[in-house]
Amino acid sequence: MKALSQRRRHPLAAVALLLMGLLVTGGLYAAAGSVNEAQASTVSSASDIQEGEKLFVANCATCHGMNAEGSSNGPSLVGVGAAAVDFQVGTGRMPMQMQGPQAPVKPVQFDDEQTAQLAAFVASLGAGPAIPDEEMLDTSLGNAAVGGEIFRVNCAMCHNAAAAGGALTRGKYAPALDGVSEKHIYEAMSTGPQNMPVFNDSNITPEEKRDVITFLKEIEAQGSPGGAKLGSLGPVSEGLFIWTAGLGIVIAFTIWLTSRPS
């Protein structure tokens, strides 16, 4: 006991305890983060992964590297998960036709089966957000009021309070969310495509993501009962339009009056 007591009072004991505490804390933090993040899908068959690898080599490796390790033309895809692939490929953003500030939406180049195979291959490279299940996309279970509050706090500064989209810097933009599928909205929040931040399950829970989707689908269904949206930019654009149109009508009427013979 005396020897043990002397060892505990060793000058390096405090350093050893500090290092042990840091290791334990870091391990617990990593474990907690992995629990909150959707993991790589384990239900994909080996044949899906193999077919996905063939599609990847033929269509994606030029930019992302043969092993998806990334290159000067494209980022690494290790650990991005199946959701990122399903969103980018499923909306036609990838493969890109040309380099630019942002990958625009365009006609989809792969069918659903091929998209799933690509997602399975990328998911096999490292754990990441998985494609959401149907329960998390069921808007009948969501709360539009809660979703609207979450959207206005986290999303409206880029996407506009009416989800009409908006311009960003250097040729980038936040797209309009009208007509975007529930699955792709969820995947965008989980993976943070383009300039969008990642909202993992610690920031916005899966249920809250469903609430946001419910809100977006509700305002989409409402349409524009007041007439033309004018970009959904709010009273400034509406007032400017009325002022410009009204002034134009006054000028045209004045010209018409003065041009009449006396």
Side-chain angles (χ1 to χ4, degrees):
M1 293 295 293
K2 183 177 179 181
L4 181 61
S5 176
Q6 290 175 344
R7 290 194 186 94
R8 285 193 292 183
R9 289 197 297 267
H10 193 280
L12 296 178
V15 177
L17 288 173
L18 179 60
L19 290 175
M20 185 178 297
L22 290 173
L23 289 173
V24 172
T25 303
L28 291 174
Y29 181 83
S34 63
V35 169
N36 287 324
E37 287 293 341
Q39 298 300 307
S41 176
T42 58
V43 298
S44 300
S45 65
S47 61
D48 284 339
I49 296 174
Q50 291 174 354
E51 291 301 318
E53 183 176 10
K54 294 177 183 177
L55 289 169
F56 182 88
V57 171
N59 299 277
C60 316
T62 302
C63 294
H64 294 287
M66 292 297 293
N67 300 311
E69 73 278 10
S71 71
S72 58
N73 295 318
S76 170
L77 300 182
V78 177
V80 301
V85 178
D86 188 76
F87 174 83
Q88 297 285 0
V89 177
T91 59
R93 288 177 166 86
M94 294 290 165
M96 289 183 70
Q97 291 179 334
M98 63 183 69
Q99 290 292 333
Q102 188 165 319
V105 175
K106 62 181 186 299
V108 178
Q109 299 187 37
F110 299 98
D111 59 31
D112 292 342
E113 182 181 9
Q114 292 172 321
T115 301
Q117 290 170 343
L118 278 167
F121 168 67
V122 173
S124 71
L125 303 176
I131 297 172
D133 57 37
E134 291 300 322
E135 181 182 0
M136 291 296 101
L137 305 177
D138 187 355
T139 56
S140 65
L141 302 176
N143 187 320
V146 174
E149 182 178 352
I150 295 171
F151 182 87
R152 287 187 290 272
V153 171
N154 297 278
C155 318
M157 64 285 296
C158 293
H159 287 283
N160 180 288
L168 301 176
T169 59
R170 299 183 179 180
K172 302 172 185 177
Y173 58 91
L177 302 180
D178 184 42
V180 181
S181 71
E182 291 87 346
K183 180 175 68 168
H184 290 152
I185 294 173
Y186 190 105
E187 290 170 342
M189 287 188 280
S190 298
T191 62
Q194 311 295 340
N195 305 284
M196 184 172 171
V198 176
F199 296 106
N200 60 33
D201 293 348
S202 297
N203 304 127
I204 300 179
T205 66
E207 291 75 18
E208 289 174 334
K209 290 182 175 72
R210 182 174 59 197
D211 292 339
V212 172
I213 295 170
T214 303
F215 165 72
L216 292 173
K217 290 305 170 183
E218 182 171 300
I219 63 174
E220 180 181 323
Q222 289 175 351
S224 181
K229 294 182 179 180
L230 300 178
S232 297
L233 297 177
V236 174
S237 63
E238 295 167 0
L240 181 62
F241 174 80
I242 293 173
W243 173 263
T244 304
L247 186 62
I249 293 173
V250 171
I251 293 174
F253 188 70
T254 302
I255 294 174
W256 176 73
L257 286 178
T258 57
S259 64
R260 297 178 63 186
S262 56

